[in-house]
Amino acid sequence: MPKPKVGFYDLTGCQGCLLSVIFNENEILDMLSKIDVKEFRFIMDEKYSGKLDVCFVEGTVVNKEDEKVLGKLRERSKILVALGACACHGNIPALRNFADEKKLDYLKYEKKHEQMQDMEKPMPIAKFVNVDYSIPGCPPDRDEIKKFIKEILLGKEFRNYSDPVCRECRLFENGCLIDDGQICLGPLTKGGCHAVCTTNGFKCYGCRGVTDDANFEGYFRLLEEKGKTDVQIKKHMETFAGIEINEKLKDTEWQQLH
């Protein structure tokens, strides 16, 4: 049986999600021996333009070039995987959708201005092409990447962890950061990250996206009781998954009132 042809690609982003694949240092040689890696610029020079069984894409679509590259990868791939928070939710680059444009000018590299003339509002890749699977997180959990590859090799259907971060937080017997007066998105955010941020004392910014049954109304009431303002709550929620959260908030009473 031939090995599946797999490619790892990046759009605009920091490429840290691709590093998460390599960070499976104890298993990567065994893992790579079971797949036929056709392109992965961190570990090989060869380029490949043929068909792929599985294509991992990290990064956000920020301009026409990203959109063009993504479209061609979709055409060549049986399975396309959004890898990491930028590809899944837009992440930090998508903050441009909520920020004052003039305040961001100083962040642009002078030599890149010409290439950035066609910049559009940064968006996750599912806004442009059909995505078969998502492995969220900033960065994505290396064990989840490994699990995904194993299940694809076994012909199984990969399923994302769907319970909120709070569940894993409790398993680790962490104290609640909201009770400590912090704006933590753990109650609304999909877990599967082993609660790595909250376990180390950092509040959750929602990099793995929103749970299907997120109780926004209850969450907002709780934070308002803690004295948090609308501006503080919105600013925190827009950091990693603002596009998804705003879409889910459209019809809520809270959004209409605020």
Side-chain angles (χ1 to χ4, degrees), residues 6 14 32-33 42 71 73 79 91 133 141 178 188 196 216 236:
V6 179
C14 73
L32 295 182
S33 71
F42 279 3
L73 288 173
I79 296 173
N91 204 4
Y133 295 98
D141 183 77
I178 293 179
L188 304 178
V196 63
F216 285 106
H236 194 82

Side-chain angles (χ1 to χ4, degrees), residues 9-23 40-42 58-59 83 86 139-140:
Y9 298 88
D10 54 280
L11 306 174
T12 298
C14 73
Q15 297 164 30
C17 301
L18 294 182
L19 284 175
S20 292
V21 179
I22 298 172
F23 285 163
F40 191 167
R41 67 191 183 94
F42 279 3
E58 77 133 63
L83 181 64
C86 287

